[in-house]
Amino acid sequence: MATLEKFQNNVAVKYQIFNSLFLTLPFEEVTNIGVTLPLLFQDCKDGFEHNRTPQEIVDQFFKKRTKIKNEEEINLLIFKFIQYIERQVVLFDAIEDSAFEKINDLDGQGTIKYLFSRSQNANRMEKLVQKLKDFKVRPVLTAHPTQFYPSRVLSIINDLEVAIRKNDLRDINDLLRQLGRTPFVTKEKPTPLDEAMRLMWYLEYVFYHSIPKIHSRMRKQMKLAGVDVDDFDNNLIDLGFWPGGDRDGNHFVTADITRKVASELKQKVFICYYRDLRNLRKRLTFSGIDERIEIIYNTLSNTIFNTDGKRYHTKEDLLKDLNYIRVLIVEKHNGLFIHLLDELIWKVKIFGFHFALLDVRQDSRIHGKVLSDVFEAMASGKLKDSVRGKIPKNYEELSEAKKIAALLTLEGNIDPDLFEDDMTKETLKSLYVIRDIQKANGEIACHRYIISNTQTAVNMFEVYALARICGWEKEMTLDIVPLFETIDDLVNANDIMATMYGNDAYEAQLKFRGKKQYIMLGFSDGTKDGGYLMANWSIFRAKENLTEIARKNKVSVVFFDGRGGPPARGGGNTNKFYSSLGDRIEDDEIQLTVQGQTISSNFGTVDSSQYNIEQLICAGLENFVFKGDILKLSDKNRELIDDMAKEAYDEYCRFKNDPKFIDYLEEVSVLQYYGKTNIGSRPSKRKKADKLTLSDLRAIPFVGAWTQMKQNVPGFFGFGTAIKKYKDAGRIDEIKDLYQKSLFFRTLAENSMMSLSKTYFPLTAYLANDKKFGKFWKWIHDEYTITKALLLEISGMDSLLENQPSNQASIQMRENIILPLITIQQYALMNLKDIEKGERKDAEMAPVFEKMIIRAFFGSINASRNSA
């Protein structure tokens, strides 16, 4: 059965059936909405086809379709529509999740079984097994505010998905009714701890089950290939975790929060082990085994609940006891139920006492400020002997080499509480907390300090110096990770790392850490700074250059990609990128951030989590095993991409430097309301300033603002202009050939098509006549038109995502569900602008329209699944 047919039968048809049931249910505060909402959808569709504005569409709907005349009643009904659409999105999510394994082949291309079969047929099995010894992937869950479902709604989605799988109409009916009565919106912003606890739901109910399942499938295929799996001890998958550790621009993340999150992670994984042991007790009832499993169970209980008696202090202690039982079962009980015990043993190996690896991140500019405070305190004698080293009087004026020399003299055990500045105090405390977490949860539990906005080698040595004055030894169990984000930073990255590798002190530190250097690359800020094509190409080239210099210095470099959900932030179909790296980019590990709705859409269920992690693993392994089969980028290919990237960059820079650019975001988009949604603890800007600047604006609200307007500028702008240069010169065939032969370029183009498929310019077409922004809107629309036409031409497709029919159909259904919602949001925005201009005299209505705008975020972003 074709993929599209599977989607139609298992998702589209089911949605129509269950949505019909949903429409007839009486919900608290949303009664009878189901009857009128389809009429609003039709009016929106017809209205935009006839060039009506959102304001005209909504106003005419109430005049034509209802008898409501009172403004208060009209607004009440609009809010009910918003509530209803939010729940329709949840229903669609649950139906799509329930059909996941029917639409996606869990043993097909990109899965472990397929990879082993392909390797066997190509006589590459030895190469695959060799790579499996040290290859790893690390998806890192972040707390960035793009996830709108509270935990209570996630639980309903999970239960609804199960009921739909079983076609249990009674449960479905009850759960839909529960959905109607369950609030989606939190009245207050979540704390960083709230965000962490929300994401721990996925650790406990999804990843804890899917990752061991992947391991089991891997070992099974290795065994079938004749490999001795007893010698296979590679964990293969680590989970990373940012909530509670990411303090960049979020002053709510304190050292105490970091400590609490690490403690909760440990507690959560213990509870998971405890449940498994409780089930094992029911099976391992054999003589000589039962009392030993009871001892383990009670010891773990003492550890969890802090009761008297023996406790586990390291994962090695727990593994020692479990492995001893394993030997006895094999020797005396014919290995009965050994598979159940093995599953728990692997879980402990993978998740340890940490569950997920907590990263700490802070902006480089903060470290400079903290060190200035420290130098001042040293000079005044305030620190006495707690910090030792040279005190540079003119630190900021020193050359890079002299700054580094001064920083390397510092050591001590500074007391953070001696400082009055909260940021200084918390930054210093965080370095003490990292060490405490390593003692409690294991060294791996919190071993990386990421430096945002890394612009010089000094930024890395500043963190080294801060760690040294907080009691860390010269050779520390801490990895210092630069984050290169802007186009300039990516260009300078090579020189920075050359300085680091050439420094004796840092070389000793790297040797102590196994000659491994983590480097993070930021797709989100790169795209914001340089546009879609230039950002992706710059990161690709930076990886090649950084690999080359690392190999020269005999350093193993691990790239950590800071990717968001949509293509505009490095998301989209990322697996193909990792399959197309070639041999000039180090590929021992794949690490990437996973954010917001991407977590729920790609990893929301055990099946989808298993499938998508396997796709990631196999992409990396295929890049190594079949490296010779991947067409390397020729010099001509590189020249083409380089030239197009520069052309796109020039057009994007012309666009972002236009005087109307910031005004357009502030006055026309919903940017200013992003921070009022109470979905994340982090502010939408890095600095508190009256005048908005692009550098201070966070990538998520930046991309999200374009998404809400259905313009998706960061996912395509400049790409069309770049291809048009070759079209005009009669060289379009060269780009067509590049598309066919380069997986990297093809993936870039197809991900941009995904962005284009989620645009809807009729929504904001009224801006074409705006006195201030008319030409600016037309500029965006023209670039969209050119990009769409030329991407279709070079790909040979008739429609966007034609080669991904189920994805294409899913996007279309989701966009239809939220069409009334985005119309309402623009309707509210237009009315608010009328009040601001004095064209509406009822200024008291402004808070109502503002609330409408904010509430429309939720359903719209959840429906898009990878929009921010």
Side-chain angles (χ1 to χ4, degrees), residues 270-288:
F270 279 176
I271 293 294
C272 291
Y273 297 155
Y274 189 70
R275 290 189 194 123
D276 283 354
L277 277 166
R278 192 166 54 201
N279 291 329
L280 267 177
R281 289 164 78 208
K282 298 174 184 177
R283 295 290 171 266
L284 302 184
T285 55
F286 329 134
S287 176

Side-chain angles (χ1 to χ4, degrees), residues 35-37 39-40 43 58-70 73-74 77-78 81:
V35 179
T36 50
L37 184 57
L39 300 176
L40 177 58
D43 283 2
V58 175
D59 285 342
Q60 286 182 27
F61 166 80
F62 280 101
K63 288 176 184 176
K64 185 172 69 173
R65 303 288 194 179
T66 74
K67 296 180 180 179
I68 302 173
K69 306 295 181 187
N70 181 281
E73 290 182 24
I74 287 172
L77 187 58
I78 287 174
F81 282 143

